[in-house]
Amino acid sequence: MSEMLEKARKYEEEQGKQIKAEDRPAFHISPYIGWMNDPNGFSYYQGEYHLFYQYYPYDTHWDSMHWGHVVSKDLLHWKYLPAALAPDEEYDKGGCFSGSAIELDDGRQLLMYTAVDHETLEDGSKRDIQTQAVAVGDGRDYVKYEKNPVLTEKDLPEGASKVDFRDPKIWKGKDGNFYCVIGSRPADGSGQILLYRSENGFDWEFVSILAENKKRFGKMWECPDFFTLDGQNVLIVSTMEMEAEELEYPNGNGVVCQIGHFDNQTGQFHSISSQSVDYGIDFYAPQTMLAPDGRRILIGWMQNLASVNQHSEKEPWFGQMTIPRELAIKKGRLIQRPVRELDACRHNMVSYTNAIISGEKTLKGVCGRIADIELSIAPQSEENRYYMFEMRFAQDDKHYTSLRYHPHESELELDRSYSGSRIAMVHKRSCKVQDNGGSLKLRVVIDRFSAEVFVNDGEQVMSITFKTDLKAEKISFVADGVVKIDILKYEIK
Ligand code: FRU
């Protein structure tokens, strides 16, 4: 093991255990210590789910990228393992960027990641050189391949930049070959996704330009993922420098899902429809895996890239993952639901049927900062349409985060303006939801410092983080008009 990895492992071991469990999310992944961004290597290997993550243990800001590592039996209770990779080679001294994992035919686990190096230009300025590298291991310790990097500038199609060539997502094809998709920047300065093939995981060849952005969705595309789901092909990319479009796409960084068709002959993906993956504020760089039971499960980094430098130096960890979500396609749209394993963690049910909300109201037993809440809302009667329904949570006398529904506009809004933040950043985002005459189904999963809202059985998801004091655990409901709600509320253990 390199000195650099040994140092990181020693540091996290000493520092990580000093963070009290109560100061972290209960069932969402947070870094052992320091900084975390993208999920990497999400996979099932030797009886456990593995998740690696972009990691800088020594500070709560992005810096020289390592890979952190956690494992779980149920995708909700995670155990910290020692850091898996450090940027300890000449070719990856600028960082071990995002990548993925797969089991090799001989039973070893392969990690494929972007190795970052630098070059100095004539004017003295530096720029990245991004290549792809691999490491093999046993689910605990990994050794980098002696012939790294395995994909370099010479494997790029004409015009593609060696500065932006990153985030390999690997899978095993039906033909027994390994494939991977990688984000790239063509000469037009926009984004494209490249497809590569390998017989053994170590020797790779270029297949095709799978998809071209042509500046339709932002510019550069990072963290691609490509898979089949319910008989269709799905391409998910994290987009940079987006322009906002209605309530569908935000400014800046977004995550776009395209559903379409892959042409085996040309190696090209043809998009039929597109949508945002998450309509909340904090979501980026998701990655999926195929579980042994055939479920396609997605996990994302629950953070907004635009606000990563706003936190206080005193916080011992920064960044968390979303809850893992089961994917499906229904009526041409991506559907996401919390993994069914969450159902087994629910306890202490509190329920109300036909509770009437008019003005502000609390319901006895409906409170807490670790909760899974199912809510059906409807107008009290046909003649009695309401104008607004709101659920406030993480609430005390002064603070709350709110989920607000305007049935006449079919708009759902998440708003953390009053969560206690002192920073001028994005605090609100809205989305259009299906107009069901004022009826709406919500599932709100709250875990101390975040909430994920699943709308109408997963047609939309909105994720948000907040730092409100943990004592703020009230939940209340507000209606302009008269609203009838059914509610099931559970604690999570
Ligand atoms: C996305 C990203 C990836 C890159 C990684 C570096 O958040 O920029 O493209 O591999 O983060 O940490």
Side-chain angles (χ1 to χ4, degrees):
M1 195 190 328
S2 71
E3 243 173 66
M4 196 188 272
L5 184 58
E6 206 169 346
K7 181 175 156 220
R9 287 183 167 193
K10 194 156 171 263
Y11 182 82
E12 61 178 7
E13 169 69 29
E14 283 163 3
Q15 303 292 319
K17 63 175 180 239
Q18 295 189 26
I19 303 177
K20 291 198 222 86
E22 310 85 81
D23 294 333
R24 297 180 179 277
F27 54 99
H28 286 73
I29 300 164
S30 55
Y32 201 4
I33 178 77
W35 164 274
M36 177 173 94
N37 59 298
D38 315 356
N40 294 157
F42 191 26
S43 54
Y44 189 81
Y45 178 69
Q46 291 185 351
E48 292 171 311
Y49 292 99
H50 286 251
L51 189 88
F52 303 82
Y53 53 89
Q54 290 286 283
Y55 183 37
Y56 186 66
Y58 307 109
D59 193 358
T60 54
H61 291 94
W62 190 91
D63 208 313
S64 166
M65 280 293 115
H66 294 55
W67 275 35
H69 192 186
V70 285
V71 286
S72 171
K73 295 268 184 205
D74 69 354
L75 293 158
L76 296 165
H77 299 90
W78 296 88
K79 188 172 103 189
Y80 289 105
L81 290 185
L85 300 176
D88 49 15
E89 293 288 344
E90 193 49 36
Y91 55 84
D92 66 15
K93 58 181 180 295
C96 300
F97 277 21
S98 284
S100 48
I102 200 146
E103 185 168 340
L104 291 171
D105 296 338
D106 63 11
R108 292 178 300 164
Q109 193 180 30
L110 182 89
L111 308 182
M112 186 169 189
Y113 67 97
T114 298
V116 181
D117 197 356
H118 297 121
E119 68 179 358
T120 308
L121 303 179
E122 266 171 27
D123 64 1
S125 65
K126 285 193 169 170
R127 67 175 186 188
D128 271 13
I129 301 180
Q130 303 187 336
T131 61
Q132 318 311 318
V134 293
V136 280
D138 58 0
R140 295 295 182 269
D141 300 302
Y142 298 85
V143 178
K144 291 177 186 171
Y145 183 42
E146 68 275 13
K147 291 190 195 146
N148 272 341
V150 295
L151 282 171
T152 64
E153 188 184 353
K154 69 174 180 5
D155 304 295
L156 287 169
E158 204 189 321
S161 159
K162 60 179 175 178
V163 181
D164 292 297
F165 178 36
R166 59 180 173 272
D167 311 335
K169 173 70 200 303
I170 190 170
W171 72 92
K172 187 135 194 209
K174 283 209 180 86
D175 59 3
N177 285 312
F178 295 102
Y179 288 87
C180 77
V181 279
I182 306 180
S184 156
R185 199 189 287 271
D188 72 357
S190 159
Q192 66 185 5
I193 302 304
L194 307 179
L195 178 65
Y196 291 86
R197 174 175 51 221
S198 168
E199 273 179 24
N200 54 15
F202 299 91
D203 304 302
W204 289 89
E205 56 175 348
F206 173 77
V207 178
S208 59
I209 297 175
L210 181 88
E212 290 173 298
N213 183 9
K214 299 204 186 300
K215 300 195 181 148
R216 166 66 187 92
F217 299 112
K219 293 190 178 172
M220 174 67 186
W221 281 353
E222 321 181 283
C223 303
D225 201 339
F226 186 57
F227 51 89
T228 52
L229 183 66
D230 294 331
Q232 278 167 285
N233 296 110
V234 179
L235 176 66
I236 295 181
V237 292
S238 293
T239 61
M240 302 172 75
E241 300 177 69
M242 296 252 276
E243 277 185 42
E245 281 177 46
E246 311 242 309
L247 295 179
E248 190 61 39
Y249 300 114
N251 305 87
N253 293 86
V255 180
V256 176
C257 167
Q258 298 180 70
I259 300 176
H261 163 69
F262 176 67
D263 183 337
N264 231 326
Q265 298 303 313
T266 61
Q268 283 171 347
F269 169 75
H270 301 283
S271 168
I272 295 167
S273 68
S274 60
Q275 64 172 98
S276 268
V277 176
D278 192 297
Y279 296 82
I281 297 172
D282 295 296
F283 187 81
Y284 199 60
Q287 189 172 91
T288 70
M289 62 137 342
L290 193 60
D293 58 10
R295 287 179 295 165
R296 177 63 58 176
I297 302 176
L298 173 142
I299 193 165
W301 180 41
M302 191 157 45
Q303 180 58 46
N304 188 316
L305 253 180
S307 54
V308 293
N309 289 320
Q310 311 271 25
H311 53 282
S312 126
E313 295 297 331
K314 289 188 213 115
E315 297 171 19
W317 61 269
F318 180 84
Q320 49 181 317
M321 297 300 173
T322 64
I323 196 164
R325 305 167 180 178
E326 291 178 21
L327 303 185
I329 296 179
K330 264 196 199 143
K331 295 187 193 142
R333 277 190 68 86
L334 184 73
I335 304 290
Q336 303 170 71
R337 290 193 192 143
V339 283
R340 62 195 66 171
E341 283 83 348
L342 186 61
D343 298 354
C345 305
R346 293 166 147 195
H347 71 132
N348 286 352
M349 183 182 83
V350 176
S351 81
Y352 290 87
T353 311
N354 287 332
I356 299 297
I357 311 291
S358 180
E360 186 172 353
K361 186 166 185 163
T362 53
L363 297 171
K364 193 163 177 283
V366 179
C367 60
R369 286 287 282 270
I370 302 176
D372 185 357
I373 300 169
E374 288 183 36
L375 199 64
S376 294
I377 70 180
Q380 191 195 24
S381 64
E382 268 302 302
E383 314 79 70
N384 232 332
R385 291 292 295 268
Y386 62 97
Y387 295 95
M388 191 276 293
F389 171 82
E390 183 179 7
M391 174 180 163
R392 297 180 174 177
F393 49 92
Q395 186 176 15
D396 60 18
D397 293 345
K398 208 170 151 196
H399 307 112
Y400 61 86
T401 289
S402 114
L403 178 63
R404 225 173 274 127
Y405 180 50
H406 298 278
H408 294 273
E409 289 82 33
S410 301
E411 277 180 31
L412 188 63
E413 179 182 57
L414 258 185
D415 181 356
R416 63 178 175 201
S417 305
Y418 306 111
S419 66
S421 166
R422 293 177 189 277
I423 296 159
M425 58 187 189
V426 177
H427 288 303
K428 292 184 195 184
R429 194 173 163 204
S430 300
C431 69
K432 282 271 180 215
V433 300
Q434 187 74 40
D435 177 7
N436 291 331
S439 295
L440 185 68
K441 256 182 100 176
L442 298 169
R443 181 163 175 192
V444 185
V445 179
I446 301 173
D447 186 4
R448 292 198 175 117
F449 308 105
S450 72
E452 286 157 278
V453 181
F454 296 82
V455 187
N456 291 332
D457 296 314
E459 283 177 359
Q460 264 107 2
V461 191
M462 305 177 86
S463 304
I464 192 167
T465 61
F466 42 83
K467 296 200 171 147
T468 320
D469 190 286
L470 285 176
K471 287 193 222 68
E473 53 175 19
K474 204 171 121 182
I475 295 174
S476 67
F477 304 94
V478 184
D480 179 359
V482 190
V483 180
K484 191 175 72 176
I485 70 172
D486 291 347
I487 183 163
L488 285 177
K489 183 254 161 186
Y490 302 86
E491 287 168 29
I492 297 295
K493 67 171 174 223

